[in-house]
Amino acid sequence: MILLDAITKEYNDDGAVTHALRGISFEIKKGEFVAIMGASGSGKSTLLHILSFLDRPSRGDYFLDGKNINTLTDEELAATRNHTMGFVFQAFNLLGRSSVYENVELPLLYARVPSEQRKIMVEHAVLSVGLSEKMYAEAGKLSGGQKQRVAIARALVNNPSVIFADEPTGNLDSESGAHVMEILERLNNEEGHTVLLVTHETYTAEFANRILTLKDGQLESDIQVKVRRRSKEDFFK
Amino acid sequence: MYFTDLLKTSSRALRHAKMRSLLTILGIVIGIASVIVLVSIGKSAEALILDQVKGVGSNLIFVIPGATKGSRFASPPSVQGIIIKTLVKSDADALKRESTILNVAPEVRGQAKIVYENNDTSVTYTGTTEDFFQMRNFTVAEGFTFTRTDVDSLNRVAVLGSEIAHTLFGARNPVGKNVRLKNILFRVVGVLDKKGLGPFGVDQDNLVIIPLPIAQKQLLGIDHYNVINIQANDAYNIDFTKARVTSVLRQNHAITNPDKDDFTVRTQEDALSLLGNITSVLTLFLTSISCIALIVGGIGIMNIMLVSVVERTKEIGLRKALGATTRDILKQFLLEAVLLTTLGGIIGIVIGVLFVIGLYFILVNFSPTGWAFALPLSSVFIAFLVSTAIGILFGIYPARTAAAKSPIEALRYE
Ligand SMILES: Nc1ncnc2c1ncn2[C@@H]1O[C@H](COP(=O)(O)OP(=O)(O)O)[C@@H](O)[C@H]1O
Ligand SMILES: [Mg+2]
């Protein structure tokens, strides 16, 4: 469903050019759980931003479901992002003063889903991350792990075909991190969401069935993982 | 986003910063409240002046000696203290023969000391004929007005204004008593009802009215008039009568070139439009002051909105990442500004109306000016629209700033 062909990205800060990505090509199929790894500054976030339309590549082609996104307008990109993508960020990025319900509802508001249908979808999403009893709690007052689960509920509420997660466990203790990863794994396994995960932690990456490694803006390796690590005990090892 | 959801989103953002929202709209509240108060005062003054001009009489035309140069609102030389003797008895007699003229009352005026026993005061006296009272809506509280016989027989009789009667006689009834005006004794035959201020602030209670020939011959020693009061028989005939008066007087004075006119003819309508001009200039002036308050309020809103946009950079990035378009963000922030100013407008309207009502009660209870409460609904409606418009005007720039933020920059923002 995702096809990148020689994607490059340069940042130009007052004449100082940073080559964040230098010709990335790969394909991701529907239902994959892909971890993108690499040292800090290797271009992971930049790649994720391009994949999720938050940024446009300097050069190269990006096909989503066969459509070249270079041909889409910003408004079309916003709509596509809204309908087919879910996001989980390292810093949670919740509206702290709003309730869990209101946070999870957000993508549906921009999708113009009618309110009765919204309620059903929000309740379903919140239930699937196990936070139903916190539905009307203020998001800012939850623990870190709970916040990230709200963020996951928000990411999956519009039933996206792909979920992007940029270091989703980076701000969490290992137990909460494991919980979050289990949820992502379940979404991939049982509900068929494609998951694209950026991480620099090997443990976290082990949930994936494919690991892409970046180095200095280039693809260093692309490994299929045969046997995915399973148990919690392994995670804490 | 559906409009109802947009409304919820924007109003929630404002509720989350209640104190700031209230402080932000203070300028608008004050501006709108002052607009309401000033417009109301202006309208009340206008109504008051209208009453005063109408109170002078109905279907009146005034002839004043001397031409009026320049605009029709310039004052003729006679008003500026230059003595012009062009209006005389033959003019009044000729005017009386006009078919659309009901009454003619020539008028002369002078200043003198009026004395009763040990009391004395300075007063403006008017010498005129018996029709003057009816024409100018003067009614008596005590006694009678003088008659045609009094005028023709040169009787020394006087009608006192209520104020002068009070000054000279206190609580006593002046009718039948003798007062001294320029050392001539006049018998008081009547006291006028209290009339209040006339147009241009003329005091209509501090006067003495005496028969025309006495005033002309014995007090002033003149043959001309200061004013000729004319009453047309019908409101529809005013303009026609005005034209007739002009041509009769030109004929009488043998004037062929209108530029050489030695008199000025004015109707009540002319006085009204002159006063209307004065009050509308005043209203315009007051309104522009309130506009400045509103603009300052608007700039305040813009300022706070800009700060708020910077503070909420991350929220904007998040919304965009979750599918908000540039237009969605623009609408959200614009609506916040409009909600703020409209709320400010509503509060301002309420405060302004309460203030006007308070003012009205104070004036009615403590000052007998006949001040009437006037608050045109249109001004409330316009104030409401203006407050909304200010929201759009001063909200558009912050909203565009918000909408222009790139999602990654915004998400990166700490
Ligand atoms: N907006 C930007 N402007 C300039 N340089 C940037 C910007 N974003 C990222 N970079 C640079 O691009 C490179 C890749 O960054 P990033 O994709 O954030 O790496 P990672 O997420 O792997 O740590 C780094 O050298 C970073 O400094
Ligand atoms: Mg990064």
Side-chain angles (χ1 to χ4, degrees):
Chain A
M1 65 181 298
I2 290 174
L3 181 65
L4 295 190
D5 184 20
I7 292 286
T8 63
K9 179 70 188 179
E10 283 128 32
Y11 291 107
N12 202 329
D13 271 346
D14 298 324
V17 181
T18 311
H19 296 272
L21 298 176
R22 312 161 185 260
I24 304 270
S25 304
F26 58 77
E27 187 181 359
I28 293 173
K29 297 210 170 59
K30 191 164 168 43
E32 282 192 286
F33 191 138
V34 181
I36 301 173
M37 296 197 68
S40 180
S42 57
K44 306 184 294 294
S45 294
T46 303
L47 180 60
L48 201 72
H49 291 152
I50 288 173
L51 285 171
S52 58
F53 305 163
L54 293 177
D55 210 350
R56 284 183 185 265
S58 304
R59 276 180 304 283
D61 291 314
Y62 171 9
F63 297 90
L64 181 73
D65 293 326
K67 210 181 286 167
N68 191 331
I69 68 134
N70 286 336
T71 63
L72 300 179
T73 64
D74 281 348
E75 303 280 294
E76 286 168 330
L77 291 185
T80 310
R81 184 160 62 227
N82 179 247
H83 288 119
T84 63
M85 300 174 179
F87 293 90
V88 182
F89 307 91
Q90 176 173 1
F92 317 136
N93 289 336
L94 301 179
L95 301 178
R97 299 284 303 270
S98 298
S99 68
V100 168
Y101 185 96
E102 287 161 353
N103 270 283
V104 175
E105 189 186 30
L106 215 48
L108 302 178
L109 293 180
Y110 292 113
R112 294 173 72 90
V113 176
S115 71
E116 314 84 64
Q117 201 182 330
R118 270 196 326 249
K119 189 163 160 52
I120 298 168
M121 293 168 82
V122 171
E123 279 168 356
H124 180 78
V126 174
L127 181 70
S128 76
V129 297
L131 278 176
S132 289
E133 76 283 9
K134 297 278 184 193
M135 186 74 90
Y136 298 100
E138 214 176 287
K141 295 197 172 139
L142 301 177
S143 73
Q146 288 172 328
K147 280 181 185 160
Q148 200 59 301
R149 279 148 68 194
V150 175
I152 292 173
R154 182 180 66 193
L156 61 88
V157 71
N158 55 353
N159 202 25
S161 40
V162 51
I163 294 174
F164 295 102
D166 193 352
E167 312 241 11
T169 57
N171 282 3
L172 299 179
D173 61 81
S174 50
E175 191 174 358
S176 311
H179 195 163
V180 162
M181 288 314 300
E182 277 169 5
I183 292 172
L184 286 176
E185 184 178 42
R186 179 166 51 77
L187 290 173
N188 173 247
N189 259 354
E190 294 170 14
E191 315 229 352
H193 295 283
T194 308
V195 178
L196 242 129
L197 171 81
V198 162
T199 183
H200 61 265
E201 300 162 336
T202 323
Y203 295 139
T204 314
E206 283 176 355
F207 281 82
N209 55 18
R210 180 175 170 195
I211 299 176
L212 301 174
T213 311
L214 292 188
K215 191 178 179 192
D216 296 332
Q218 284 176 316
L219 199 56
E220 190 186 43
S221 66
D222 182 351
I223 303 163
Q224 294 286 334
V225 182
K226 294 281 161 357
V227 186
R228 286 158 89 180
R229 186 219 50 79
R230 277 312 73 146
S231 74
K232 252 190 177 154
E233 290 72 50
D234 288 347
F235 191 82
F236 290 120
K237 211 159 49 185
Chain B
M1 209 192 283
Y2 291 113
F3 184 74
T4 48
D5 294 322
L6 190 66
L7 201 62
K8 274 187 216 156
T9 303
S10 294
S11 60
R12 190 183 299 135
L14 298 179
R15 278 204 309 279
H16 285 170
K18 277 195 199 70
M19 199 60 198
R20 169 189 282 196
S21 300
L22 282 177
L23 289 174
T24 308
I25 61 177
L26 210 57
I28 300 293
V29 171
I30 293 170
I32 291 288
S34 60
V35 167
I36 295 285
V37 171
L38 293 177
V39 167
S40 168
I41 289 176
K43 281 286 163 200
S44 303
E46 219 173 281
L48 186 68
I49 288 167
L50 203 75
D51 272 3
Q52 286 175 344
V53 171
K54 285 191 174 145
V56 167
S58 43
N59 308 336
L60 294 184
I61 297 168
F62 308 96
V63 185
I64 334 167
T68 306
K69 296 273 186 306
S71 104
R72 77 189 169 121
F73 295 134
S75 47
S78 58
V79 174
Q80 297 160 9
I82 297 163
I83 297 164
I84 297 171
K85 304 181 177 179
T86 52
L87 292 180
V88 292
K89 184 156 190 310
S90 61
D91 294 327
D93 290 343
L95 289 171
K96 272 179 194 157
R97 288 193 290 270
E98 285 299 311
S99 62
T100 60
I101 291 179
L102 207 58
N103 287 308
V104 175
E107 196 182 336
V108 294
R109 291 196 199 117
Q111 288 277 334
K113 195 192 254 184
I114 184 167
V115 185
Y116 175 71
E117 289 179 350
N118 295 329
N119 296 337
D120 67 78
T121 180
S122 169
V123 75
T124 300
Y125 59 86
T126 292
T128 186
T129 57
E130 69 285 355
D131 291 327
F132 180 82
F133 299 98
Q134 170 269 320
M135 288 168 74
R136 298 284 302 269
N137 279 348
F138 282 103
T139 52
V140 289
E142 303 279 353
F144 301 93
T145 59
F146 53 71
T147 62
R148 177 163 206 164
T149 320
D150 288 324
V151 176
D152 290 346
S153 326
L154 280 77
N155 287 343
R156 289 169 185 165
V157 290
V159 175
L160 303 184
S162 64
E163 186 75 35
I164 203 84
H166 184 79
T167 312
L168 294 178
F169 292 90
R172 286 170 295 175
N173 187 349
V175 175
K177 306 277 178 359
N178 286 318
V179 294
R180 201 178 283 279
L181 201 60
K182 268 205 172 167
N183 274 331
I184 297 170
L185 275 180
F186 284 83
R187 186 166 49 86
V188 178
V189 292
V191 177
L192 296 171
D193 279 316
K194 186 161 181 53
K195 199 156 187 213
L197 288 184
F200 302 104
V202 173
D203 189 346
Q204 303 183 96
D205 294 316
N206 221 348
L207 83 176
V208 178
I209 303 173
I210 57 176
L212 178 68
I214 302 276
Q216 276 189 307
K217 307 245 153 50
Q218 300 189 11
L219 268 63
L220 292 160
I222 56 170
D223 285 324
H224 64 268
Y225 303 138
N226 297 125
V227 184
I228 299 178
N229 296 278
I230 296 165
Q231 188 167 36
N233 63 357
D234 196 301
Y236 293 109
N237 284 334
I238 297 268
D239 288 334
F240 169 75
T241 310
K242 183 181 179 182
R244 282 301 303 156
V245 168
T246 307
S247 76
V248 165
L249 290 178
R250 277 186 194 147
Q251 204 174 342
N252 254 22
H253 296 183
I255 293 167
T256 48
N257 179 359
D259 290 341
K260 296 245 155 68
D261 276 354
D262 56 4
F263 59 87
T264 301
V265 183
R266 281 201 179 143
T267 65
Q268 270 176 298
E269 281 301 315
D270 298 335
L272 271 183
S273 59
L274 168 58
L275 286 165
N277 270 24
I278 295 173
T279 50
S280 48
V281 166
L282 193 75
T283 308
L284 198 70
F285 174 71
L286 296 176
T287 311
S288 20
I289 292 179
S290 331
C291 280
I292 294 172
L294 285 176
I295 289 170
V296 171
I299 292 171
I301 296 233
M302 181 157 79
N303 199 13
I304 303 279
M305 288 294 297
L306 282 172
V307 172
S308 161
V309 166
V310 171
E311 280 180 359
R312 289 158 68 192
T313 297
K314 212 169 173 119
E315 175 197 328
I316 295 164
L318 173 71
R319 287 179 183 278
K320 281 195 160 180
L322 297 182
T325 61
T326 305
R327 287 180 65 88
D328 285 324
I329 302 292
L330 185 80
K331 281 193 236 165
Q332 181 190 340
F333 280 82
L334 196 57
L335 190 63
E336 278 185 31
V338 169
L339 285 178
L340 271 178
T341 56
T342 306
L343 182 70
I346 292 170
I347 297 176
I349 287 170
V350 169
I351 292 177
V353 168
L354 289 178
F355 191 90
V356 165
I357 292 173
L359 203 67
Y360 168 67
F361 273 112
I362 291 171
L363 281 170
V364 162
N365 290 324
F366 298 101
S367 152
T369 46
W371 189 266
F373 176 73
L375 182 66
L377 215 65
S378 62
S379 74
V380 172
F381 190 64
I382 289 170
F384 183 80
L385 288 187
V386 164
S387 62
T388 305
I390 286 175
I392 296 174
L393 196 69
F394 290 96
I396 191 86
Y397 178 66
R400 290 177 82 122
T401 312
K405 284 187 183 293
S406 115
I408 10 171
E409 290 303 316
L411 279 174
R412 197 189 296 269
Y413 183 87
E414 294 298 336

